[in-house]
Amino acid sequence: MYKIMTADEAIDIIQDGDVICLNSFLGIENPVALHEAIYRRYKATGSPKKLTIISSAGFGVWDENKNAEGYIREGAVDKLICGHFGAMFSTKRLVLEDRFEAYNLPLGCISHAIRAQAGGLPGALSKVGLDIFVDPRIDGPGINRISKDDSLVKHVEVDGEEFLYYKLPKIDVAMIKGTAADYKGNISFDDMYMSGDALSICQAVKANEGKVIVQVDRVVSTHSRPRNTIIPGCLVDAIVQVKPEPRHAAFESLTGSFDIPYAQWQDWSEMLEKRTSAKSVTNVAGNIIGKRAAMELKPEDIVNIGVGIPEIVSKYARESGMLDKITLTVESGGVGGFPASGTVFGAVIGADSMNDMANQFDLYNNGGLDICFMGGIEVDQYGNVNAHRGPGAFAGVGGFANITAKTGTVVFCLTFNTKGLVVDENNDKVTIKQNGSIPKLVENVQSISFSAKRARVNKQKVLYVTERCVFELGEKGLKLVEVYPGVDMQRDILDLLPFQVEIDSLLKEW
């Protein structure tokens, strides 16, 4: 039977050495009051310590002094297992200093491993991750030198087919953020931007005889409608009521509490950008890339668009009228509508549905997307892409590996080089006025987020769209298939590549 507690009382449930699973998605839906209570207890008593934290999508709030950052920095955590670390500013730095073990697994694979544990299974099989960094035959999931746990990902064969087997430590504690608890302890998510894997996490915890702690905005006396309940009260041990801070109406657009027609998507998106530090990419190179990439869209496509330059694809899809003819999706579970960005990435304006995250990754893993648009840090001569780790820095692979693993058409959107790149476009002619000092097309990527070898096996169409040309994945590696008007192929492309590239016999210009 659940009990209503203060945050400090609820956190007393957590013991040294516990494995905690969080339902957050980057900066949204974090149970901040619970994290702050852990920090207070740890500073006062030195406990709970030796914690392991599991989070499919990461759990920072874009502020190194809030949420879990404090107690992680002070030493309460021994191990992190996350799909993405981008919103965890100080934690990312500490990982590279070998302060604790840290593992990066594809977001969807963590989600499915949690669901497997909820069903009494030790782990989950997946084709996602084969031949990329997480594959133990390549690098494995460990991020730093002390992360050597080889139980998390194994290469296996079943009925003559190869898979990766993802296995998480048994989860002892769930920390969840919900909207309301009714008089039976049922938890609804009415005002939340997503439900994530809340139910699977709680079921996994109960399978392991653990404890479920839920932070809610309010406790209500009325009965929650069954279809609105995400977590039944019988699975809940502690409910912590924390009155939410007032928020602008722009944020209410993300809850699905009122209908937002297509014609209003842009207005709500602009209101959000002003309040979420979302930085629209408006440089010339980004616009060239977004415009060309958007030409790959077809009516009725089911689509995923990544952050950064790929977001510009939606701008040109809207201008062409294509945006209203396709269905956008986001990893957190949203289908339809228009994905938000910035600090509320994972939320959706005007969504048609919001699925549990494990179900969304079923769609991605089975090839349910028609096309996706992703960014990249670097691309090598073979067509492999590194999108998760740069020199002395990393963010994590997130849902990138799942999204690109089996989607029929994969479009990478990235500049030819960076840091100092100056490009001009006039009357559809492109002029490279100054090249950047850091190349993005290299002989070998530092780490593999997308495997060209696996893409060929899956017969995927793969394009690499830059501000001056387009490459396609060929049988041996990159093939140059388009050079934009105004671009000198020899001077602006071939002379700058550190490798030989195949040139398509039907090379075209716009």
Side-chain angles (χ1 to χ4, degrees), residues 10-22 34-43 45-55 59 67-82 91 99-103 146 149 169-175 213:
I11 292 306
D12 279 342
I13 291 173
I14 301 173
Q15 304 297 312
D16 290 353
D18 272 351
V19 177
I20 302 172
C21 192
L22 305 172
L34 301 183
H35 286 296
E36 291 176 347
I38 291 176
Y39 191 25
R40 285 194 296 272
R41 179 182 163 197
Y42 183 75
K43 284 199 298 183
T45 69
S47 181
K49 61 190 176 190
K50 298 186 182 300
L51 299 174
T52 293
I53 299 183
I54 298 171
S55 173
F59 52 95
N67 215 46
E69 301 267 33
Y71 66 80
I72 291 174
R73 190 164 52 239
E74 295 292 332
V77 175
D78 280 3
K79 181 183 291 188
L80 286 176
I81 302 170
C82 293
T91 298
R99 290 277 294 274
F100 41 78
E101 292 181 56
Y103 300 88
I146 65 172
D149 186 343
K170 286 189 175 182
I171 304 167
D172 302 303
V173 178
M175 283 177 34
I213 307 171

Side-chain angles (χ1 to χ4, degrees), residues 236-283:
V236 180
D237 295 285
I239 294 173
V240 177
Q241 182 181 1
V242 179
K243 187 176 180 180
E245 296 180 1
R247 59 188 181 189
H248 190 271
F251 294 95
E252 298 303 321
S253 70
L254 304 174
T255 67
S257 58
F258 56 93
D259 181 48
I260 302 177
Y262 169 75
Q264 296 178 15
W265 288 358
Q266 184 61 24
D267 294 335
W268 286 102
S269 179
E270 289 175 358
M271 279 193 285
L272 279 167
E273 284 182 6
K274 294 176 182 178
R275 294 165 178 84
T276 63
S277 303
K279 296 180 180 179
S280 298
V281 182
T282 56
N283 61 74

